[in-house]
Amino acid sequence: MRLPQIVTDERRRRHGGTGWLVALVGAVVLVGAPYLPWAYGDEAMDDMTYLGGPSPTQFLGLALGAALLVCLLAARFLVPRLPAARRRWFAWHTGASAVATGALVFQAVVVVAVALELGGLVNVEYGGWIALAGALLAFAGTRLLVPERTATLGRVHSPAWLVILVIAAVMLGSLLLIAHALDEDDPGVFIALLVFVGAAVTLVLRIGLGGWFSSQTARFRPVLVMAAFLVAFAFPFTQDGSNANMSIATQVLIFAATALGLNIVVGLAGLLDLGYIAFLGAGAFVAAILSGSAFSAVGWNPPFIVTVLISGVVASIFGLIIGSPTLRVSGDYLAIVTLAFGEIFRLVMINLDGNDGPDLTNGSNGIPNIPDLNLFGFDFGEPHVMLGVEIPRFANYYFLLLVLVGLVIVVFANLNRSRIGRGWVAIREDEKAAEAMGVNVFGLKLFAFAGGAFLAGVAGSVKAHHDISVTPDQYVFLESAFLLAAVVLGGMGTILGVLVGATLLRLMPEKLRFFDEYRLLAFGLLLVVMMRFRPEGLIASRRRQLEFHEDDEELAAHTGEAPPGAGRAEPEGAR
C-alpha cells in the first residue's frame, strides 16, 4: 500500500466518528428537505413550489437521503450485532460514500435546472438550498468514513425462487423506468432522473448487491435473457400508441445493432475504426436501390430477405476492400485510413448522380420515398392492433429490429466464445506475441472487418425503410464517433455494456435538444470523465477491469481472477 493511502486511511480512522455524525445530519436534511419548496415558479421541472407536497423529482432526492440513512445506521448499529461471518456481506460505508456523491450531483442538477428554466438562482427557494447544503454535509462526512474491504455477499448461495423473483423485479423496474424516461419532456427532470438512476446503480454495486446479482444470475442465465427479451417485447404496449416514442426506441435499436458490429472490430480485435458508419450507409443505400422506390435507378425489387443478405454482403465486401491493403498497419495509421474511407464513401455516394459517375444514388439528394416493408404480407407501414393495444408504424419496425439485435447478440456471443474470439483477444492484447504463437493475425483481422461490416450492412437495410429516405449526409464522421463512443462508454468487448452505451448516446440527444449546439462538448467531457474514473467502461468485463486496475488486489479477489499475466480470464462477452 502506498504511503499517501496509509496516511488517508489513518485520518479516516481518527475522524471516522465525526464523519459519520456529519453524514447522518446530511442524510436527515436530505430526507426532510423535499417537503419544503425548491422553486419559486411552477414552470420549473415538475412543480416544486409546494410546502409539504413533494413532487416526483423531490421524492427521488428523498429516496437518496433515505438510502444514505440506511447505510449509515446499518454500519453503526446492525453490523456489530451480526455474526463475524456475515459482517462483510455488505460494504455499508462504501455504499454511503457512493450515494452521498450521487445526492450531491442530483441536488446540484436540480438547482441549476431551476435557475435556467426560471431565469436565475434567485428563483431557487430556500428548500432547494437546504437540500444542497444537506448533500454537501453528507458528501463531506462520508469522505471521512473508513471504507470496508470488498463485500462478500456475492459468495452467498441463495435459493432459486429468490433469484428468479429478483430478476423479475429488476426487469419490471427497468421497463417502467424506460417508459417513464421516454415520456418525460422536461430536460431538467430527465437529467435528474439519469443522475438518480446512476446513483442507485452505483449504490447497488458498491454495497455488494451487484456482485450478488451477477454471481446468482450466472446460474439462471437463460431466465435472465428470456426476461430481458420479454421486457423489450412488452415495451411498445406501455407507450399508448405513441409513434414518437417508438421512433426513438427503433433508432436506439438500429444504433445498438450497429455498435455491436463495431464492438467486434474495436472491442475484441482492438482495431480502431473511425469510418465504420460507411458500412451502415452501404447497407442502407443497397436496400434503397433495391426497394422499388420511384427514385431508384434499378428496377429490380427482390424480397426483403434477399435484400438484407445482399446489403450485408456488399458491406462486407467494402470491409474486405478497405481491410486487405490497410490491415498491415495498426494503431494511429489504421485510424487515419479508416477515417479517410468513411469520407471517401460519402463523397462517392454524392458523385453517383449520373454526371460524375453512374446514376445510382441521385447524388446529394439521395433516394427518397422508400416504401415500407411488406414481409410475408405484413405491412410495416400500417398500424396494427395486438392484444387490444394499437401498434403504430415504428413499433412494427421495433419488433423487427428486436429480432435483429437478438440475432446479432447470438452471433457476437458465439464468436466471442469460439477459437476465433480468443484469437481476436490475443491480437488485441499483443499482436506480435499472437503471431509468434501461430495465430493467423491478418486473416482474423480481415474477418473481424468483414464480419462487423456485414452486421452493419444488415442494420442499414432496415434503417433505409425505417427512415423512408437515404442521403449521403446521414453518414458523416460524427456518426462514426458516436458509435465508437458508445462502445468505449459502455465497455469494450461486452454485450450489455455496448447496449447501455448505445441507449444513452442515442436517447440523450433526443431528450436534450436544447443542448444540441453543445452536445459535442458534452460528449467530450463525458468521455474525459469516464477515462479518468472508469476507463474500462460502465459495464466492463472482468478481464478489462483487471487490465486497468492491475494493482487492485481486492478487485482481483472479488472477481476471482489473478492479475493480468497470472492466469486465464473468462471470455470477454460472458457478461
Side-chain angles (χ1 to χ4, degrees):
M1 185 178 295
R2 295 184 296 271
L3 181 60
Q5 183 66 38
I6 296 175
V7 174
T8 301
D9 291 346
E10 181 61 30
R11 289 177 179 174
R12 286 176 172 173
R13 292 187 187 95
R14 188 182 306 167
H15 303 289
T18 303
W20 182 87
L21 184 59
V22 172
L24 182 67
V25 173
V28 172
V29 172
L30 286 173
V31 171
Y35 292 92
L36 304 175
W38 287 9
Y40 181 76
D42 57 4
E43 301 88 357
M45 303 187 76
D46 52 359
D47 192 3
M48 300 183 290
T49 60
Y50 289 97
L51 177 64
S55 70
T57 301
Q58 288 175 297
F59 268 118
L60 297 181
L62 188 152
L64 291 176
L68 176 59
L69 196 60
V70 169
C71 289
L72 294 172
L73 294 178
R76 177 57 61 92
F77 300 108
L78 177 62
V79 172
R81 290 172 171 78
L82 292 176
R86 298 182 180 181
R87 291 180 183 177
R88 290 189 59 191
W89 278 11
F90 298 96
W92 295 111
H93 282 176
T94 305
S97 178
V99 75
T101 304
L104 179 59
V105 177
F106 177 86
Q107 298 298 339
V109 166
V110 170
V111 169
V112 172
V114 170
L116 290 176
E117 294 183 18
L118 294 182
L121 290 173
V122 68
N123 294 288
V124 180
E125 285 281 13
Y126 63 92
W129 295 114
I130 291 175
L132 183 60
L136 284 169
L137 284 175
F139 179 80
T142 54
R143 297 305 98 180
L144 298 176
L145 297 177
V146 179
E148 304 92 343
R149 292 185 176 272
T150 306
T152 60
L153 184 64
R155 304 171 189 174
V156 177
H157 186 83
S158 302
W161 64 267
L162 176 62
V163 179
I164 295 175
L165 184 63
V166 171
I167 290 175
V170 169
M171 292 303 166
L172 178 60
S174 301
L175 175 63
L176 297 176
L177 176 65
I178 295 173
H180 176 69
L182 276 179
D183 286 335
E184 186 55 60
D185 295 326
D186 189 281
V189 175
F190 180 76
I191 296 176
L193 180 62
L194 285 184
V195 174
F196 172 81
V197 172
V201 171
T202 304
L203 171 64
V204 168
L205 294 175
R206 294 288 182 85
I207 207 174
L209 288 174
W212 175 86
F213 186 79
S214 178
S215 63
Q216 299 303 313
T217 52
R219 299 156 40 203
F220 302 94
R221 193 170 298 277
V223 176
L224 181 64
V225 173
M226 183 61 67
F229 273 96
L230 284 177
V231 165
F233 178 82
F235 174 74
F237 298 96
T238 66
Q239 298 305 302
D240 195 24
S242 172
N243 221 9
N245 286 350
M246 291 314 304
S247 174
I248 297 174
T250 50
Q251 291 176 35
V252 168
L253 287 182
I254 292 172
F255 193 72
T258 311
L260 284 170
L262 179 61
N263 197 24
I264 293 178
V265 180
V266 178
L268 294 184
L271 305 174
L272 183 56
D273 188 349
L274 296 181
Y276 189 77
I277 195 66
F279 302 131
L280 180 69
F285 270 104
V286 170
I289 291 172
L290 301 180
S291 65
S293 169
F295 294 87
S296 173
V298 177
W300 185 39
N301 181 22
F304 180 67
I305 299 297
V306 178
T307 300
V308 167
L309 294 177
I310 294 175
S311 299
V313 169
V314 169
S316 63
I317 290 174
F318 274 115
L320 292 174
I321 291 174
I322 186 61
S324 297
T326 60
L327 287 181
R328 302 290 183 183
V329 299
S330 60
D332 299 339
Y333 301 100
L334 178 62
I336 293 172
V337 172
T338 54
L339 172 61
F341 169 70
E343 287 301 299
I344 289 171
F345 170 81
R346 183 178 63 85
L347 295 175
V348 168
M349 294 300 104
I350 292 175
N351 289 328
L352 294 180
D353 57 356
N355 295 322
D356 300 318
D359 186 11
L360 288 178
T361 64
N362 294 322
S364 58
N365 293 323
I367 303 176
N369 294 337
I370 300 174
D372 283 298
L373 286 176
N374 193 305
L375 194 60
F376 304 115
F378 185 88
D379 188 355
F380 282 72
E382 296 294 330
H384 298 81
V385 176
M386 186 182 300
L387 301 179
V389 178
E390 181 180 348
I391 303 298
R393 172 184 182 270
F394 288 115
N396 297 326
Y397 285 97
Y398 172 87
F399 286 124
L400 176 63
L401 286 164
L402 193 61
V403 174
L404 174 61
V405 170
L407 293 175
V408 172
I409 290 175
V410 171
V411 170
F412 182 90
N414 283 279
L415 278 175
N416 186 48
R417 289 193 294 265
S418 68
R419 182 177 180 180
I420 294 174
R422 292 194 295 271
W424 281 335
V425 173
I427 293 172
R428 190 197 69 197
E429 297 299 321
D430 192 325
E431 183 176 330
K432 297 299 182 183
E435 189 173 12
M437 294 300 295
V439 176
N440 184 358
V441 172
F442 180 76
L444 286 180
K445 287 165 69 174
L446 199 60
F447 182 67
F449 249 78
F454 182 87
L455 296 179
V458 171
S461 65
V462 180
K463 177 177 171 60
H465 291 274
H466 170 271
D467 295 346
I468 304 179
S469 67
V470 177
T471 60
D473 290 339
Q474 291 176 298
Y475 306 99
V476 295
F477 165 71
L478 184 60
E479 295 299 323
S480 292
F482 285 161
L483 285 169
L484 183 60
V487 174
V488 175
L489 177 66
M492 291 193 295
T494 65
I495 295 174
L496 181 58
V498 173
L499 293 177
V500 171
T503 301
L504 287 176
L505 289 187
R506 184 53 68 182
L507 185 60
M508 289 179 66
E510 293 293 335
K511 290 299 180 180
L512 305 177
R513 291 186 177 274
F514 77 99
F515 204 61
D516 188 62
E517 295 181 0
Y518 304 98
R519 64 175 180 169
L520 287 179
L521 174 64
F523 289 155
L525 292 175
L526 178 62
L527 289 176
V528 169
V529 172
M530 283 295 301
M531 292 304 99
R532 170 59 183 85
F533 295 102
R534 195 171 176 82
E536 65 270 26
L538 292 175
I539 303 176
S541 65
R542 293 176 178 178
R543 183 185 186 93
R544 291 195 67 82
Q545 281 183 303
L546 290 172
E547 288 174 2
F548 284 101
H549 305 280
E550 294 185 7
D551 298 330
D552 196 338
E553 297 178 0
E554 291 185 10
L555 176 61
H558 176 62
T559 58
E561 298 192 22
R568 179 179 172 184
E570 69 170 24
E572 297 243 350
R575 291 193 61 176

